[in-house]
Amino acid sequence: MVSFRDYFQEGPIPWTQSNLLGLQYLSGEEITLILDQAAEFKRLAAEGHSKLGLLKGTVVGNLFFEPSTRTRTSFGLAAKRLSADTVDFSPSGSSLSKGESFLDTARNIEAMGVSLMVVRHKTPGAQLFLSQRMNSPVLNAGDGTHEHPTQGLLDVMTMRERCGDLAGKTVALVGDIRHSRVARSNIWGLTKLGAKVIVCGPATLIPPQIEKLGVEVSHSLDEVIPRVDCINLLRIQFERQRGAFFPSIQEYAHLFGMNATRLKRARENVVILAPGPINRGVEITPHVADGKHSVILDQVSNGLAVRMAALYLLHRRQQELLSFPPEPQVSLI
Amino acid sequence: MASILIKNGRVIDPANNRDEVASLLIIDGRIQTNPGDDVHADVVIDATDKIVTPGLIDMRVSLREPGSEEDETIESGTAAALAGGFTTIACMPDTEPPMDNRAAAEFVILQADRARNCHVIPIGAVTKQCHGEELAEIGQLLEGGARAFSDAKQTIANSEVMRRALEYTGMMNRPIFHHAQVPELIADGLMHEGFYSTLLGLPPMPAAAETIMINRDITLAEITGGHLHLMGITTEFGVEQIRKARERGVRVTADVTPHHLYFKDEDLQTFHSKYKVNPPFRTAEDIQALIEGLQDGTIDVITSDHQPYAEEKITCELDQTPFGVVGLETLVPACINRLIETNLLSWLELIAKLTINPARILGIEAGTLSENTVADITILDPAMSQTIDPDNFLSKGRRTPFANKELKGGVDHVIVGGELRYSAASLTTG
């Protein structure tokens, strides 16, 4: 058994956020802190320490007011790897369908002893709204088209693993930027770490004045490909769109899909990311998705480590605020 | 009825281009403008350093009764109006059921009489159920007391219906108050389309949704000769279109809310629903254009667009809560701080937009301190300092972007039909 002291410093941590609501609200240093913490968890797991006792006695609520498979599973597994108990909530068949409000539902779950809330909701700002009215830390697992901070972090972590320091690197975000919370979190995460970001897609899927976020806008994937170190292919958010934003899936794939032909124009060591679920044959062909440049499954693995890091840091901050310092005798299991 | 003497106030009456320190006497509910020095009255109000104006008129208020009394009643809404300095309000037809027939208009007037706060002018629906398809019984609504017509926040999207409505109401010389927005362009929208909607990921409402519809409406007003009143305009291009139309002689008037002069789209970065209004808060350039529109008379009126909602309807996610904030009890201090303290408007100009201009649009005999007119009078204290506390509102609605703001200026006394109905300060009798 490995002593907790060997891996984690005692005393206050530089993390001072009570909630994780978005990468917009974090500094580059704070983003790096989470990434470093995640890398540490990943290393421990690789060494066989897959379960840690850091959140023992804590109950993590997975409140998913919107459907999710991988994020919910990833958070649930991350909590279990830290030895937390978990409570899952989904709106179907819940008191929400009887007219109970979002806030009252969350408060009731908190009153049952849940002390850390992982929340997904279709409305931008819903987690901020909740965080202002709850005692427990709130971790945003996606709020509508606003932010998805842990997805942004895992994307950045994956790029950092492949490219090293991201300062000066160029990353293309391709696809449905308008409806993508992942795009917004990626933009904040990458630009705060010094990377250049190009957003690329049809004009109908690029929201107005996005250049003010410090990104370049392009409507030509062919022009962008040779210039970038990483390409993050975002899913077309059919469920968030109203009306037609492009003439057909075939035309989208023709103009903006990543395929073998386009890949030939890319740099030799280009990194291809795609925050799932991917639409094979639309944003990305199977040849590319399963090819040597693809890091799609690395993203999934890193998601676990990032979520462990986020849960751990928020929990420790909560303990500090409550003046209950973490117990150094907690050991790795 | 007790006689009232208002002494030594700064009397501002834009209808008569009057701005001077003077006294007013009210006898039998009517105004005497030159009472002399040794007059006796049952009640004496010392208005030294105060501003005496015609009773303020808010021509765009939602009262929610019947149908949503948990949000507001005619009694609570008119009490809030009094506290806000208004002697007359015009209420929108967006009740449940909508005010689209004579009996509905008469119900509002009856309830207002029972409440005995301020006068209430019903605004009848333009179309049945405010659905924008068939004209409501406009003539009978008029007989029931309606003075203008509107489908409230429902845009009359069908151009043919709007054309017929302007023709029909034009026959009666009554205005249509229109919420000019292209519905398809704002579908699901929550805020102004621009950098901040991109930043926040909130569904946008482009300024073009307003300006396209203003353009259509002006065209229809031009060919029909009807009176178009554009409610709550917010865009730079919209102001410019109205200015040009008026130069051509089109019968178009417009109003703006104080909150649209104060707040910008960027305020929604807090995701707080007190900044969720329809039309949305826009940009600094739009605000500047609105102020220029007020200054040159393109915008005739300032209205509260009072939209009260019960607490449970505003404590929820941003997309679940309805648009709108209350405004009756903050309009006066908001206007004083935004327009008078900054010297953007003179007192005479501001008071005109709150009295004689809305009275003319509504076609009512009010908004003036002329000799022998009904004594609807508001006394303002421009030096009053207050922190806006929604818990003190008389309205049932509590959501306001002005909450906790320090604002200068307030309402001192309100006299309706010769009766002193609201007083913030103590009275002296003589």
Side-chain angles (χ1 to χ4, degrees):
Chain A
M1 189 164 289
V2 183
S3 164
F4 172 81
R5 289 168 199 260
D6 293 342
Y7 293 104
F8 301 98
Q9 290 182 339
E10 291 180 49
I13 50 170
W15 179 261
T16 57
Q17 300 281 340
S18 299
N19 305 287
L20 181 58
L21 299 172
L23 299 191
Q24 177 187 357
Y25 314 113
L26 301 184
S27 65
E29 290 74 23
E30 288 170 320
I31 290 170
T32 302
L33 179 70
I34 306 180
L35 296 178
D36 289 347
Q37 185 70 65
E40 187 66 8
F41 282 136
K42 188 173 180 181
R43 187 181 68 78
L44 285 167
E47 289 177 358
H49 306 295
S50 58
K51 187 146 185 171
L52 313 173
L54 298 168
L55 263 65
K56 199 169 185 179
T58 302
V59 183
V60 174
N62 273 332
L63 282 63
F64 279 67
F65 294 87
E66 193 185 55
S68 166
T69 304
R70 77 189 60 207
T71 304
R72 179 205 284 262
T73 306
S74 183
F75 267 114
L77 196 52
K80 287 184 173 69
R81 288 272 177 94
L82 295 168
S83 302
D85 294 318
T86 58
V87 172
D88 279 348
F89 169 85
S90 57
S92 60
S94 76
S95 291
L96 278 181
S97 56
K98 300 174 188 169
E100 186 173 63
S101 74
F102 164 58
L103 178 59
D104 283 337
T105 300
R107 278 178 172 159
N108 273 283
I109 290 171
E110 183 179 49
M112 292 175 196
V114 171
S115 57
L116 222 160
M117 302 276 183
V118 177
V119 183
R120 170 170 286 192
H121 199 283
K122 68 180 174 59
T123 308
Q127 285 84 338
L128 174 62
F129 169 85
L130 209 58
S131 72
Q132 291 164 339
R133 292 163 177 82
M134 308 270 289
N135 297 316
S136 310
V138 174
L139 207 161
N140 180 3
D143 59 335
T145 51
H146 179 222
E147 280 226 42
H148 191 353
T150 54
Q151 179 70 47
L153 288 165
L154 75 87
D155 287 347
V156 172
M157 180 179 179
T158 308
M159 292 183 228
R160 199 175 75 153
E161 281 178 347
R162 291 297 180 110
C163 302
D165 184 1
L166 292 176
K169 299 292 191 299
T170 303
V171 178
L173 305 177
V174 181
D176 187 355
I177 311 299
R178 180 184 289 271
H179 301 99
S180 175
R181 54 192 173 209
V182 178
R184 286 167 178 81
S185 288
N186 267 246
I187 288 169
W188 287 117
L190 289 164
T191 55
K192 287 185 178 197
L193 295 183
K196 174 182 171 61
V197 176
I198 304 171
V199 294
C200 179
T204 49
L205 293 179
I206 304 287
Q209 301 183 43
I210 196 165
E211 319 84 61
K212 288 187 180 174
L213 288 174
V215 303
E216 180 186 329
V217 175
S218 172
H219 303 304
S220 168
L221 182 56
D222 290 318
E223 186 274 326
V224 164
I225 283 176
R227 301 165 51 201
V228 299
D229 301 288
C230 303
I231 302 174
N232 198 354
L233 299 161
L234 306 179
R235 185 172 65 86
I236 301 297
Q237 309 265 310
F238 292 109
E239 73 278 17
R240 295 190 196 286
Q241 296 180 7
R242 57 178 175 84
F245 283 80
F246 48 83
S248 68
I249 290 172
Q250 290 74 17
E251 178 155 315
Y252 180 85
H254 178 70
L255 294 175
F256 296 99
M258 179 55 87
N259 52 37
T261 309
R262 287 207 166 93
L263 195 56
K264 288 177 186 165
R265 295 171 51 81
R267 293 177 181 174
E268 190 180 349
N269 54 352
V270 70
V271 180
I272 307 285
L273 301 95
I278 59 173
N279 297 317
R280 284 176 183 260
V282 182
E283 301 95 3
I284 187 168
T285 60
H287 172 82
V288 179
D290 303 327
K292 66 174 183 175
H293 297 281
S294 169
V295 291
I296 293 173
L297 294 177
D298 291 352
Q299 289 174 266
V300 178
S301 302
N302 287 340
L304 188 60
V306 156
R307 286 165 185 134
M308 287 175 72
L311 289 169
Y312 169 66
L313 291 171
L314 285 177
H315 173 70
R316 276 205 58 183
R317 178 61 183 159
Q318 176 79 341
Q319 296 294 300
E320 284 179 1
L321 291 173
L322 294 171
S323 302
F324 297 140
E327 297 176 12
Q329 70 272 21
V330 173
S331 58
L332 298 169
I333 298 169
Chain B
M1 183 177 282
S3 59
I4 304 173
L5 176 65
I6 304 169
K7 290 198 307 185
N8 304 322
R10 180 179 168 188
V11 176
I12 298 178
D13 181 13
N16 293 300
N17 200 28
R18 184 179 183 197
D19 183 353
E20 61 182 345
V21 174
S23 297
L24 294 177
L25 180 63
I26 300 162
I27 295 179
D28 294 332
R30 293 190 174 264
I31 296 172
Q32 289 188 3
T33 52
N34 295 301
D37 296 332
D38 56 350
V39 66
H40 174 82
D42 302 321
V43 177
V44 177
I45 299 172
D46 182 0
T48 304
D49 298 327
K50 310 280 169 49
I51 291 177
V52 181
T53 81
L56 305 184
I57 300 168
D58 187 346
M59 59 182 217
R60 204 151 64 81
V61 173
S62 286
L63 289 177
R64 306 281 183 245
E65 184 183 352
S68 300
E69 287 82 355
E70 69 278 17
D71 297 337
E72 192 81 288
T73 62
I74 291 171
E75 183 176 17
S76 65
T78 52
L82 264 190
F86 296 98
T87 56
T88 301
I89 59 174
C91 68
M92 303 302 288
D94 54 345
T95 48
E96 294 175 35
M99 198 198 324
D100 63 357
N101 59 68
R102 177 178 181 150
E106 289 175 342
F107 169 79
V108 169
I109 290 172
L110 177 64
Q111 289 294 75
D113 285 347
R114 284 175 174 153
R116 285 185 61 78
N117 288 317
C118 67
H119 308 296
V120 177
I121 308 288
I123 296 176
V126 178
T127 65
K128 290 174 183 165
Q129 298 290 312
C130 296
H131 283 171
E133 293 162 1
E134 294 178 78
L135 291 184
E137 291 164 341
I138 287 170
Q140 293 181 62
L141 275 162
L142 196 61
E143 289 177 6
R147 305 299 300 171
F149 298 89
S150 177
D151 278 357
K153 296 286 184 182
Q154 297 297 316
T155 298
I156 301 169
N158 185 315
S159 299
E160 173 68 2
V161 172
M162 186 63 173
R163 174 193 170 133
R164 298 304 173 211
L166 281 163
E167 285 172 341
Y168 199 76
T169 53
M171 171 178 78
M172 298 152 182
N173 200 26
R174 298 283 87 227
I176 287 182
F177 288 17
H178 197 223
H179 180 65
Q181 277 181 333
V182 177
E184 311 87 86
L185 287 175
I186 59 145
D188 305 325
L190 294 177
M191 69 174 297
H192 170 69
E193 180 175 87
F195 169 68
Y196 290 99
S197 65
T198 291
L199 177 70
L200 303 174
L202 288 170
M205 306 164 85
E210 179 175 309
T211 57
I212 290 170
M213 192 57 83
I214 286 178
N215 203 11
R216 183 208 73 167
D217 285 353
I218 286 172
T219 304
L220 293 175
E222 196 158 16
I223 63 169
T224 59
H227 179 174
L228 169 71
H229 177 79
L230 293 162
M231 300 191 292
I233 62 164
T234 59
T235 56
E236 183 179 7
F237 190 49
V239 176
E240 183 59 28
Q241 286 174 305
I242 295 164
R243 186 178 287 124
K244 286 179 178 170
R246 286 165 73 118
E247 286 168 3
R248 294 199 306 274
V250 182
R251 292 183 73 195
V252 54
T253 50
D255 72 67
V256 71
T257 76
H259 38 281
H260 283 96
L261 301 175
Y262 244 100
F263 300 100
K264 299 194 279 282
D265 58 344
E266 65 188 70
D267 288 308
L268 246 175
Q269 285 185 92
T270 58
F271 289 101
H272 199 297
S273 70
K274 67 185 178 182
Y275 301 112
K276 182 185 172 185
V277 291
N278 181 14
F281 293 138
R282 302 213 188 261
T283 66
E285 291 75 25
D286 291 307
I287 291 174
Q288 179 59 33
L290 293 174
I291 288 169
E292 288 169 10
L294 284 166
Q295 289 170 330
D296 70 9
T298 303
I299 300 172
D300 312 81
V301 174
I302 300 173
T303 60
S304 71
D305 189 17
H306 183 75
Q307 298 289 336
Y309 289 103
E311 179 69 20
E312 64 271 20
K313 294 180 183 173
I314 60 176
T315 310
C316 54
E317 306 93 303
L318 197 61
D319 62 341
Q320 297 298 307
T321 189
F323 287 96
V325 296
V326 293
L328 282 167
E329 290 163 88
T330 53
L331 184 143
V332 163
C335 287
I336 290 173
N337 285 264
R338 187 71 185 96
L339 300 168
I340 298 294
E341 291 288 310
T342 52
N343 294 317
L344 293 171
L345 288 186
S346 68
W347 274 106
L348 208 59
E349 289 169 326
L350 173 63
I351 298 302
K353 293 178 194 303
L354 297 172
T355 56
I356 190 62
N357 291 1
R360 285 176 179 152
I361 291 169
L362 290 167
I364 57 174
E365 291 181 8
T368 173
L369 297 175
S370 296
E371 182 75 20
N372 206 35
T373 52
V374 172
D376 290 344
I377 298 172
T378 301
I379 303 175
L380 304 177
D381 182 355
M384 182 189 290
S385 178
Q386 58 174 318
T387 303
I388 301 297
D389 180 358
D391 287 342
N392 295 332
F393 285 172
L394 298 183
S395 168
K396 290 187 177 184
R398 295 282 187 272
R399 184 166 64 183
T400 169
F402 293 106
N404 302 317
K405 281 202 176 296
E406 296 269 351
L407 296 179
K408 194 178 171 190
V411 178
D412 203 44
H413 292 87
V414 181
I415 295 165
V416 181
E419 269 186 40
L420 183 58
R421 294 218 177 139
Y422 176 83
S423 178
S426 59
L427 305 180
T428 57
T429 55

